[in-house]
């Protein structure tokens, strides 16, 4: 059984474009490593410019496997240069009963 994840990325100063580029390739890298399902991933934008992403790991074991993958590790390094991972609850939108975000086309 898969495992859904909702993650929030807050771009570092002057790194919003770099973050967008990394988010664009995120799922492709995870798919190339057979770590995520074929279900669509969704990317959204918060009012403060943060990005949110929803995707499904293939299985809980895939999360563990990601931590051993050189390709995923390199990608996570790119994320680290472009953004901070923040709790979803740090976004004002997540404080609403129905959290609404702008859709982002990849």
């Amino acid at each position: 059984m898969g495992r859904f994840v909702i993650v929030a990325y807050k771009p570092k100063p002057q790194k919003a474009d770099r973050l967008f580029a990394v988010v664009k390739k995120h799922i492709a890298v995870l798919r190339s490593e057979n770590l995520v399902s074929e279900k669509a991933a969704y990317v959204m934008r918060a009012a403060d410019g943060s990005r949110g992403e929803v995707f499904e790991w293939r299985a809980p074991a895939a999360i563990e496997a990601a931590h051993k993958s050189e390709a995923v590790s390199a990608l996570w390094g790119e994320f680290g240069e472009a953004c901070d991972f923040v709790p979803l609850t740090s976004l004002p939108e997540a404080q609403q009963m129905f959290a609404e975000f702008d859709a982002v086309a990849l």
Side-chain angles (χ1 to χ4, degrees):
M1 180 62 81
R3 188 122 180 129
F4 279 100
V5 172
I6 305 171
V7 61
Y9 314 112
K10 185 173 187 67
K12 291 183 177 177
Q14 287 80 48
K15 298 286 185 168
D17 290 342
R18 182 69 191 124
L19 173 59
F20 184 64
V22 177
V23 170
K24 282 176 70 170
K25 69 181 191 177
H26 184 216
I27 296 301
V29 170
L30 296 180
R31 283 205 174 111
S32 74
E33 298 286 306
N34 198 33
L35 299 171
V36 294
S37 74
E38 292 302 316
K39 291 180 182 163
Y42 296 96
V43 177
M44 57 209 102
R45 183 177 41 253
D48 72 354
S50 294
R51 297 291 197 266
E53 186 176 26
V54 178
F55 64 93
E56 183 185 30
W57 291 104
R58 186 170 295 286
I63 300 168
E64 293 174 35
H67 289 273
K68 298 174 185 168
S69 164
E70 289 182 23
V72 174
S73 222
L75 184 68
W76 287 346
E78 291 182 53
F79 269 109
E81 292 172 9
C83 73
D84 292 311
F85 295 89
V86 297
L88 189 62
T89 57
S90 72
L91 304 178
E93 292 86 346
Q95 302 305 310
Q96 304 305 312
M97 180 67 69
F98 297 95
E100 295 182 31
F101 299 87
D102 293 327
V104 174
L106 296 178

